[in-house]
Amino acid sequence: MRVVRCAACTRVLHEGRTQTVFGTGNRQADWLIIGEAPGADEDRQGEPFVGRAGLLLNEMLLAAGYRREQVYIANILKCRPPNNRNPHADEVQCCHGYLQQQIDLIQPRLILAVGGIAAHNLLGTDGPVGKLRGTVHHYGDRQIPLVVTYHPAYLLRSPLEKRKVWADLQFARRIFNSTGRDI
Ligand code: URA
C-alpha cells in the first residue's frame, strides 16, 4: 500500500514515525470508526487503537453490539504526531486522500467519529463534541450517516462521561437499524 512509504506531509511526520498506521478490521464493515491519529503504542504496533484508549474503544463497540473485528477502525492521520500533539490542518489535508480511499472502498453505512478532531475534520465544523453528539450528521457525496461521540482517551480522564458515550452508541445503533440492513 502506497501509504507505507508516504512522505507527503509538509511537517514531515514520516521522519518521526516507526511505521504508518493505516487501519484495521473488516473491509466489508457496516460501521467505520474514525479516531484522531496513532499514539506511541499504535506507532509501535502498526494498528490503530491498541493502547489503553483502544481497550476502552473495544468496550464501547461491544456496548453497540460489535466486536472489534466486525467494524473497520481508522484515523484522520496515518502517522503519529510528535508528542501526540493535535494534527495540524495541513497534515490533515495531506492525509485526507487515504481516508477518503478507505471510505470509498469500505462503503460503510455508518461512521462513528470519536473525539473532536475526527468530528471537526469530517464535518468541517469546530463545535464542541457535547454539541455535536446526539444528532445524526451526514458525510460526503453518499451522505453516510455520521454519529459523534467522545474519544475513549477523554473517557479515561473523565469516566463519569461514559454514560453519555453508551447513550451515543445506542443512538448510533438506532440510526443504523433505521437505515436498513444489519450485519
Ligand atoms: N487515539 C486515536 O485517536 N487513535 C489511535 O489509533 C489511538 C489513540
Side-chain angles (χ1 to χ4, degrees):
M1 189 54 94
R2 210 158 35 95
V3 69
V4 171
R5 289 182 300 280
C6 183
C9 71
T10 39
R11 289 182 207 254
V12 293
L13 291 185
H14 53 280
E15 287 185 359
R17 75 183 174 218
T18 306
Q19 57 194 315
T20 55
V21 180
F22 189 58
T24 190
N26 176 1
R27 292 178 189 192
Q28 269 102 47
D30 284 327
W31 282 35
L32 172 61
I33 318 302
I34 303 181
E36 179 178 330
D41 294 314
E42 292 76 21
D43 175 69
R44 240 186 331 267
Q45 296 186 41
E47 183 172 325
F49 284 101
V50 290
R52 283 179 69 220
L55 293 178
L56 189 47
L57 178 67
N58 294 348
E59 279 184 40
M60 288 165 53
L61 292 172
L62 284 174
Y66 290 103
R67 280 177 288 108
R68 179 182 172 93
E69 316 74 67
Q70 291 178 292
V71 302
Y72 196 88
I73 304 174
N75 281 312
I76 294 284
L77 289 192
K78 310 309 185 202
C79 292
R80 181 189 182 204
N83 304 314
N84 300 336
R85 64 153 168 75
N86 286 347
H88 289 291
D90 55 334
E91 294 164 346
V92 173
Q93 180 68 32
C94 285
C95 233
H96 179 71
Y98 294 123
L99 182 62
Q100 192 56 53
Q101 275 179 34
Q102 289 176 304
I103 295 171
D104 291 345
L105 284 171
I106 294 163
Q107 301 202 9
R109 294 185 43 243
L110 183 123
I111 295 175
L112 181 70
V114 296
I117 299 287
H120 296 161
N121 286 294
L122 293 167
L123 297 174
T125 178
D126 59 2
V129 172
K131 289 252 160 62
L132 296 171
R133 60 181 286 274
T135 139
V136 58
H137 307 268
H138 291 90
Y139 175 82
D141 296 343
R142 289 178 47 239
Q143 291 288 285
I144 303 168
L146 185 153
V147 171
V148 175
T149 194
Y150 292 105
H151 195 287
Y154 169 72
L155 288 192
L156 289 172
R157 297 190 300 273
S158 309
L160 292 179
E161 301 287 55
K162 276 189 186 173
R163 197 173 37 83
K164 292 184 188 160
V165 172
W166 263 240
D168 294 340
L169 291 164
Q170 299 313 315
F171 174 68
R173 190 80 212 187
R174 280 199 303 280
I175 297 298
F176 177 71
N177 288 342
S178 71
T179 56
R181 186 179 53 88
D182 203 337
I183 56 164

